[in-house]
Amino acid sequence: LAADVFGASDDESDAAAAPEEAPEEAAGAAWVDDDDELKVDLRSAARLRKLRKTTGDRVLRGGELETRLRERFARSRGPQAWASSSEP
């Protein structure tokens, strides 16, 4: 029961500590970020219309939407030390 709950004892773990071979993986991103594929229609809600730079702006992708939201926050609240400081 102890071996099932706590795993192998120290004697067994030394023998089992042989290096494991990593499975071969294709080179590329570790994950796919769904926000990169996001598209938002700025005409769909009044609160989104405030993010338009020109009246012709209709659809934004995720990265551009984030940039505009950050710019809007900075304009309305001013610079925030907690948001821009990289000090620990």
Side-chain angles (χ1 to χ4, degrees):
L1 178 63
D4 291 337
V5 174
F6 300 112
S9 67
D10 289 340
D11 296 337
E12 295 172 2
S13 64
D14 290 339
E20 297 179 18
E21 292 184 28
E24 291 186 28
E25 297 179 13
W31 70 87
V32 175
D33 193 2
D34 294 335
D35 291 343
D36 294 340
E37 300 170 7
L38 178 71
K39 291 182 181 178
V40 177
D41 186 0
L42 297 178
R43 298 171 296 161
S44 64
R47 68 178 187 265
L48 295 174
R49 287 186 214 133
K50 297 174 185 178
L51 298 174
R52 294 186 300 181
K53 290 186 177 180
T54 65
T55 56
D57 286 346
R58 292 184 174 185
V59 177
L60 291 180
R61 293 191 177 267
E64 180 64 22
L65 177 65
E66 179 182 356
T67 301
R68 290 191 187 187
L69 287 169
R70 289 181 184 276
E71 289 171 355
R72 176 97 175 137
F73 179 81
R75 280 194 312 264
S76 65
R77 306 276 192 240
Q80 302 291 316
W82 60 267
S84 60
S85 176
S86 62
E87 296 177 18

